[in-house]
Structures are given as structure tokens and as C-alpha cells.
Amino acid sequence: MEEKKQTHQFKTEVRQILNLIVNSLYSNQEIFLRELISNASDAIDKLRFKSQTEPSILGDDGEFKIKLRPDGIAQILEVSDNGIGMTHDEVMENIGTIAKSGTAQFLEMLKQAQSSETLTPELIGQFGVGFYSAFMVADKITMVTRAVGAAPDQAVRWESTGDGSFTIEPATRDRRGTTITLHLKKRGKEDPDYTDQWQIRRIVKQHSDYVAYPIVMDVEKEIPIPDKEQIKDKDGKPIGETKRRVIEEETLNSREAIWAKPKDEVTDQAHDEFYKHLAHDWNPPLARLHFKMEGTTEYHALIYIPAKAPFDLFHAERKHGIQLYCKRVFIMDDCKELIPEYLRFVKGVVDAPDLNLNVSREILQQDRLVMNIRNNLVKKVLDLLSEMPAEQYEKFYEPFGPVVKEGIYTDSNKRDKIAALARYKTTKSDGKWVSLDEYVKRMQPDQKEIYYITGDDLNALIHNPHLEKLKEKSYEVLLMADPVDEWVVQSLTEYDGKPLKSAEKGDLALDKVDEKHKEAFNALFGFIKGQLEAKVKEVKPSVRLTESVACLAGEDYDMSAYMEKLLKASGQKPPEVKRVLELNMDHPVMGRIKTLYENDRDNASLKDYCQVLYDLAVVAEGGKLENPARFSRLVGEMMTRAIA
Ligand code: ADP
């Protein structure tokens, strides 16, 4: 334990966040209280979870609550809890730094949003600003905290005026838990007074009504003086006071477990508020599922689909969204066992009365009941998504589609069901999303396969020369522009009985090559192959091209160009796979090269043409040229000759 008062600087990202909060959430100030109450409630949850295996740690302080103490004269508001508290090291770790992964990217995004003036509270809300939001209303914050198990004189006092530094020193606290004291900023005439009891009641009711622990405040009340204690005249009429003023602790929140209430008794507004509390998200949810399972597996579930993606959706260590309860008693947060990775964005509560209360995380995974609930939840959520009206589903799909698609290759039992949820833009959809069912319905009468192409840029994909022949035949092609699609197509080999086929690999069962025509080019192709030996495994007449002169194709089981790019971007070194150079025999330039080759085999330009043909194929698919300077020089020379 540190002995003296120390001063530390906030980490840069905290300073940035503080700045943002203070400057951009002004109209949402009052949510600071919700954030502090949420932290207090989380701290009690943590303690409670710990006490399940070590009941003695609660001592004689087992009545959990969150206490608010306003002082109007001093303009101070205190929020205390008897939760888990923090040690010196924990304070250093949690307050003053932001440990969340992805903070840097998030801040970068905010900065960009800010410059385009679209910085909204919702955007910041996705991040969950928590504790720091109190600096919107306070110019000094003091926190005294004592961790469970620590002695009274092992408490820690933290203080900051939010201007870049904080102090930390040893302190005493007679009970376990945390007290946050806000020294409120001087108010303008219009500003609300956060020490006003009426205000506090309203804010708690509005934003924190569902917090599971009592949120209490001392209030002065008038109560009638019992009859026999009253002073009365001879006619029995009271001559003194009939009422007395007392201080009473009032509970401000209803603590209703809304998941346990009948579905039709919970209003949309109540759901929205509960969701915000649960998800630390400021946007109302997009959709919800509220149901009670009966029968062998009994449980209540209340599940929300967020409207916006959290900033850390793709960070491995992000929390999952399901809280587990047993008969309304909180068991654990972040219950990964109840929902698969590919549905990690859902938020909600599962309350299972038959759960073994002493479950540990390890046991949970094998618990039959938990497995049943998980299967059930997955089915219900997938049904909900399948049945969503198109417009709502699109809102869902933009942020969460890539996550759900992970299920196609991670949950083989549900593959087809999840594949039906996938949407793609196509060569014919005019920028709109198309489902595989729609695609199949629109297939040409003679079309046997579902064509797709993968890559990272929709615009490059749609103009990819590989698709020329398919377009001519009016075959639609799925444009897969999302990294997960590379994995999707590896496990989704067919849909609705129709094989999925890459437009850039293998033979497309399209028109056959005219054998005679092909023979005429044999010698030239042999020559080109000789020139490009190091780069291509074969030179072939193309069935794919109608307008372009060259493209590179893979064989059926080769890695796609995009997959290769993805692997390289992630630092891996995929084995070099040579591809096939396909040339369009009907292209006028091929005829000219052929004539030149036949008349003058030793013409020095022939070698250059081979290089350029190869480079053209690379450029057309958005690839990277090995030697861009050479390409540019050769094309320049050729243009000069052509124009002269
Ligand atoms: P968040 O709550 O989103 O994690 P905060 O900045 O609000 O972010 O809080 C940072 C961390 O500080 C919390 O995750 C928690 O570990 C700790 N903390 C905050 N308030 C309390 C409290 N009242 N009791 C115990 N720990 C707390």
C-alpha cells in the first residue's frame, strides 16, 4: 500500500474522452447519475458473485444498497455503495486509464465524426463513458473506496478536478464499498439542481428504475404523532404539534424484474429504459424477445437486439450480452455459455429458477440445463431475425450481418437457417441486398450454379472481368465483399440444392471453347507461358471474358485472390499459388499478337506484350503489380507507337 499522496496524470485517451464528454453531451447531462448507479450496481453484483463461493466475505453487511446523499447548501451529491470496492492498484487500473481494447480506434472514429459535425451522444453512448460523465456536472470528484477484505485503514482516496491529473492517497472507511462525492459545478439559472430531491427521484425513476438493488435517499417526512403522545386540552383537543418531522430512508426505484412480468404488462418505454441500463447503450433497441419457457426447461428470457453496433464488436475480449439470474438473484454477467459467438451482439437476461446456484463457469459449459437454454435462445433469435420485416431487417443487417454470417461456418446444425439470413449485393441488384432465396428464384432456366466473387471493394468486384461472360448470359453474381465471406463459402458449398461456384475459379460451365480456334492459338499460348513461367501455371483461352483481354483464374480448390490478400494482411505467408492466365481469343489485340508472332517470332516487342497481358489481368482484379514502373513505361511506349 502506498503511504503518501501521489499525483498522476490521466492517460491521453482519458483526457480525450473527458473533453468529448464535457463538450458534447451537454443536453444529456443527467445521465451521469445513471452511470454512477450502474457502476455501483455492478460493484455489488461482483461482490455477490464472489460471496456465492465465499459467503463469509459479506460479514454483517449483507444488505446491499446504493445510497444517494444530496446536500443543497454545499452543492454536493454523494453516491455510495456497499459493493466490492477497489484496492489502490485497482483504482490505478480502472480510474484514470481506459482499459478497453479498441479505445484508440474509437477515438479516431469520434474525431472524424466530430469534424463532419455528426458527433452524437449515441456515438459516445456506444462506448459507455461511465464514471467520467460525472465531470459534466462536477468540477471536483472525490472517491473513497475500500475493497472487500481490506482493513478500515486500507481504504483509498482518489480525487480529481478533471483537468488532466488526479491524486491518490491512503484513507479510512468504516465499511467496505465505494463513495463518490461530486462537488457540483456552479449552476446557471436554467440548469437543474442535482441536489434537489424531486430531481433525483425523477432521474432515478427514469433511468435506473430496474436496478436490482435499492437506491435509497434520506428524506425528511412529517409523520403523525401517536395519539397518546399528544398534548391535549381538557376537551381532548390537541394543543401542541400533531405531526413530527423525521428522517426516513426512501427507496427510489421499483426494482421490478421486468423479465418476470407478463409480456403485455411491460410498456415499450419500460423496455427501452431497461435496455439502456442493461446494455450501457443510449439508443433504444431494434427488437426484443420476451418469453417464458415452460416444461422441462423452465426459464424467463428477455433478449434485445441493439440498433447500433458497439464499437468493439470485433474485439476478441469484448463482453457478451447475457446476464444470468436465478429466481431474480443475479448470478453472472457476460454469460458466454448461453449464446454463441455469432450472436454476441444480443443483450438480455435469462432467469432460470432450476439453476444450480453454486455453478462455476467451468461447470456451466457442461450443464444440461444451460445447454438447453442456449439451443432454445439460438432458435428463438434466429426465428426473430427470419421473421423481421424487410426494412427492419436491413437496419439489423448492416451492422450485424457480418457477425451472424460467422454462424454459417461455426454452427453446422444451423448452417442453412443462417445462410437464409445472409444478404448480398449482386451484379443485378442495383446496390440492394438480396437473399439466397431470392437469388435462387431469379436464376436463369439453364443456370445450375450460384455464382459469387469475393473481394474487398464492391465497385472493383462489379467491374471484374471475370464476370463478363456471366453478365452476358444474364447470370446473377453475388458480390461478396466481406472478409467473413471467404470462410462462408468454404463451408457453404450449396444452398437449396444449388452448388455455390466462384466466378474466378475453375471452369465455368458456360460456353465451350471452339477447339479449332483454340488450336490456332496453341503455339502463341505456349510462347506466352514460356515468358511467364515464373508467375502462371497455365495459359488458356478464356470462357469468362467478352470484353477484356486477360484475367487470372484459380483452379477449383485454389485460394481466391482475396483470401490470399486477407492472409497476407493478417501477417501470414500463404503459399504462393500460381494461377491460370486466361486470354480472350476474340479480343482484337490477341489476333494482332498472333499475327506478329507468326510472322516474326524474334520480334523484341513480343516479350513486352506478354508482360503487359499479365499485368492487365492483375490490374483488372484490383491486384498489386509486381513492377508498376515497368508497366507504366511499357504502356507509355505502346501508346506513343499507336498514336504515331
Ligand atoms: P465501465 O463501468 O464502463 O467499465 P467506468 O469508467 O465507469 O467504466 O468504470 C471503470 C471501472 O472502475 C469499472 O469497470 C470498475 O471496475 C471500476 N469502478 C467504477 N465504479 C466503481 C464502484 N462504485 N465500485 C467498484 N468499482 C468501480
Side-chain angles (χ1 to χ4, degrees):
M1 175 129 153
E2 304 296 327
E3 284 309 321
K4 288 201 309 283
K5 183 162 173 169
Q6 298 178 329
T7 302
H8 297 274
Q9 299 301 311
F10 282 125
K11 291 267 158 59
T12 327
E13 66 270 17
V14 177
R15 255 180 280 163
Q16 286 170 314
I17 292 265
L18 271 171
N19 246 322
L20 278 168
I21 296 168
V22 174
N23 293 319
S24 59
L25 298 183
Y26 196 76
S27 54
N28 267 298
Q29 271 188 353
E30 67 184 32
I31 57 91
F32 80 91
L33 190 57
R34 174 187 76 198
E35 299 294 310
L36 295 182
I37 290 173
S38 270
N39 282 351
S41 158
D42 290 350
I44 300 175
D45 280 346
K46 282 181 200 158
L47 179 68
R48 192 164 193 170
F49 184 57
K50 206 173 150 97
S51 73
Q52 277 159 21
T53 44
E54 291 172 71
S56 63
I57 59 172
L58 296 183
D60 64 354
D61 191 7
E63 198 186 309
F64 300 118
K65 65 182 169 192
I66 299 162
K67 183 146 191 167
L68 307 181
R69 272 200 205 87
D71 176 342
I73 295 165
Q75 281 293 299
I76 281 175
L77 176 62
E78 238 180 61
V79 181
S80 313
D81 64 69
N82 54 354
I84 196 157
M86 283 180 274
T87 62
H88 174 273
D89 290 354
E90 283 164 346
V91 173
M92 287 301 292
E93 222 168 88
N94 296 330
I95 315 280
T97 56
I98 295 180
K100 292 171 196 153
S101 60
T103 302
Q105 288 117 291
F106 178 74
L107 285 169
E108 194 45 45
M109 192 177 91
L110 282 186
K111 241 190 256 160
Q112 281 167 11
Q114 204 170 22
S115 51
S116 61
E117 289 177 13
T118 52
L119 184 65
T120 57
E122 286 71 31
L123 205 50
I124 298 188
Q126 290 171 54
F127 186 75
V129 288
F131 178 76
Y132 304 104
S133 62
F135 280 111
M136 283 191 293
V137 299
D139 47 23
K140 186 166 89 180
I141 300 179
T142 312
M143 177 176 77
V144 176
T145 181
R146 179 178 146 196
V148 63
D153 63 350
Q154 287 177 324
V156 183
R157 180 189 170 88
W158 179 98
E159 192 164 86
S160 174
T161 50
D163 58 357
S165 68
F166 61 88
T167 61
I168 186 162
E169 64 189 308
T172 55
R173 194 181 192 279
D174 59 359
R175 290 180 166 264
R176 153 205 91 216
T178 304
T179 300
I180 313 254
T181 307
L182 308 181
H183 303 264
L184 297 168
K185 285 184 185 168
K186 211 167 150 35
R187 269 182 299 125
K189 261 202 211 110
E190 306 284 301
D191 296 336
D193 179 357
Y194 296 114
T195 61
D196 178 71
Q197 292 194 342
W198 177 85
Q199 277 286 355
I200 294 175
R201 272 198 202 95
R202 181 189 64 78
I203 298 173
V204 170
K205 201 72 198 154
Q206 184 168 339
H207 300 293
S208 308
D209 197 44
Y210 313 102
V211 169
Y213 309 103
I215 302 166
V216 302
M217 175 168 70
D218 286 338
V219 292
E220 217 181 66
K221 277 196 177 148
E222 282 195 334
I223 54 161
I225 297 174
D227 206 49
K228 36 181 207 288
E229 288 174 32
Q230 287 185 14
I231 306 163
K232 297 185 178 154
D233 64 13
K234 59 180 187 335
D235 301 327
K237 268 172 96 187
I239 46 175
E241 297 286 334
T242 57
K243 288 182 178 157
R244 179 191 298 154
R245 298 182 81 78
V246 292
I247 304 281
E248 240 180 36
E249 206 171 66
E250 179 184 316
T251 299
L252 310 181
N253 55 332
S254 73
R255 304 171 60 200
E256 277 175 332
I258 83 167
W259 60 86
K261 290 173 83 172
K263 198 171 158 172
D264 50 5
E265 281 177 26
V266 188
T267 63
D268 288 348
Q269 200 202 349
H271 275 296
D272 287 358
E273 287 298 340
F274 179 64
Y275 167 77
K276 288 179 189 174
H277 161 69
L278 191 77
H280 294 261
D281 179 357
W282 296 5
N283 307 288
L286 182 70
R288 65 171 180 259
L289 264 179
H290 185 187
F291 63 92
K292 182 177 179 197
M293 269 317 266
E294 276 161 338
T296 41
T297 313
E298 225 174 272
Y299 67 98
H300 288 278
L302 178 51
I303 304 288
Y304 297 99
I305 313 270
K308 298 243 163 71
F311 77 100
D312 59 352
L313 189 58
F314 291 97
H315 290 283
E317 60 278 48
R318 81 177 294 274
K319 283 188 162 189
H320 282 226
I322 305 283
Q323 291 189 346
L324 183 60
Y325 280 74
C326 176
K327 297 194 198 88
R328 298 181 176 208
V329 174
F330 174 83
I331 309 289
M332 69 175 76
D333 205 356
D334 185 22
C335 190
K336 290 188 182 62
E337 295 73 11
L338 282 176
I339 202 92
E341 280 284 320
Y342 67 90
L343 296 178
R344 60 183 176 272
F345 50 84
V346 306
K347 303 276 179 190
V349 169
V350 167
D351 190 336
D354 303 327
L355 203 73
N356 174 2
L357 258 181
N358 294 317
V359 285
S360 69
R361 284 241 136 115
E362 296 70 53
I363 299 175
L364 213 55
Q365 274 180 7
Q366 291 127 40
D367 192 288
R368 278 185 64 99
L369 178 65
V370 171
M371 271 161 29
N372 274 338
I373 297 178
R374 176 186 165 117
N375 286 337
N376 252 311
L377 283 183
V378 170
K379 188 178 170 307
K380 293 256 187 193
V381 173
L382 294 182
D383 285 345
L384 173 77
L385 295 175
S386 316
E387 287 155 20
M388 252 185 205
E391 203 181 314
Q392 191 186 22
Y393 187 67
E394 254 176 46
K395 279 194 197 140
F396 163 81
Y397 196 76
E398 288 276 358
F400 299 114
V403 182
V404 173
K405 279 190 288 184
E406 290 173 13
I408 296 176
Y409 53 90
T410 55
D411 188 349
S412 52
N413 290 327
K414 296 275 186 314
R415 183 181 302 142
D416 288 339
K417 184 145 193 168
I418 303 170
L421 288 170
R423 297 287 182 273
Y424 292 102
K425 295 185 176 162
T426 78
T427 43
K428 288 185 172 182
S429 76
D430 208 6
K432 296 204 178 64
W433 295 108
V434 171
S435 70
L436 293 173
D437 288 319
E438 281 169 276
Y439 179 100
V440 169
K441 238 185 263 161
R442 309 205 300 216
M443 279 168 73
Q444 296 298 313
D446 60 341
Q447 186 185 344
K448 306 219 164 38
E449 297 169 312
I450 298 174
Y451 293 102
Y452 68 86
I453 185 157
T454 58
D456 55 3
D457 178 39
L458 267 184
N459 202 34
L461 281 182
I462 202 162
H463 295 115
N464 193 308
H466 288 109
L467 311 185
E468 287 171 1
K469 193 73 186 191
L470 291 163
K471 283 186 197 159
E472 193 186 77
K473 297 199 67 122
S474 216
Y475 289 178
E476 190 166 11
V477 182
L478 303 172
L479 307 171
M480 299 189 162
D482 181 347
V484 305
D485 289 325
E486 280 291 351
W487 282 268
V488 166
V489 293
Q490 282 181 30
S491 79
L492 188 73
T493 50
E494 59 165 60
Y495 185 79
D496 198 8
K498 313 274 186 301
L500 266 81
K501 173 86 183 125
S502 165
E504 54 172 332
K505 286 198 256 177
D507 286 328
L508 297 184
L510 300 171
D511 301 339
K512 288 276 163 277
V513 180
D514 176 348
E515 284 302 319
K516 269 210 180 121
H517 199 180
K518 184 177 163 192
E519 258 188 63
F521 275 87
N522 263 351
L524 173 64
F525 282 11
F527 171 78
I528 299 175
K529 165 94 197 293
Q531 291 300 310
L532 299 172
E533 193 86 63
K535 294 182 196 138
V536 304
K537 74 172 140 197
E538 212 184 321
V539 177
K540 265 195 352 196
S542 180
V543 285
R544 272 169 256 265
L545 302 174
T546 59
E547 287 158 27
S548 303
V549 63
C551 72
L552 285 163
E555 298 208 89
D556 274 327
Y557 296 102
D558 283 352
M559 191 181 286
S560 72
Y562 185 43
M563 184 68 150
E564 195 177 324
K565 192 165 163 186
L566 285 174
L567 290 178
K568 281 183 179 158
S570 73
Q572 298 183 52
K573 286 203 188 78
E576 287 297 329
V577 184
K578 285 191 199 169
R579 288 192 291 157
V580 177
L581 178 66
E582 290 193 357
L583 297 171
N584 180 357
M585 299 186 297
D586 297 327
H587 196 287
V589 84
M590 286 314 299
R592 306 254 175 112
I593 297 178
K594 181 166 161 279
T595 312
L596 175 64
Y597 175 74
E598 283 160 3
N599 295 339
D600 180 9
R601 257 162 223 235
D602 301 321
N603 190 307
S605 298
L606 278 170
K607 285 187 182 175
D608 290 346
Y609 294 156
C610 293
Q611 284 305 333
V612 172
L613 283 175
Y614 177 81
D615 286 350
L616 284 175
V618 174
V619 171
E621 64 179 23
K624 234 172 123 180
L625 290 179
E626 202 178 79
N627 188 342
R630 181 189 59 196
F631 177 70
S632 158
R633 177 177 52 79
L634 286 176
V635 173
E637 285 169 15
M638 287 171 198
M639 283 171 75
T640 314
R641 267 183 268 153
I643 297 167

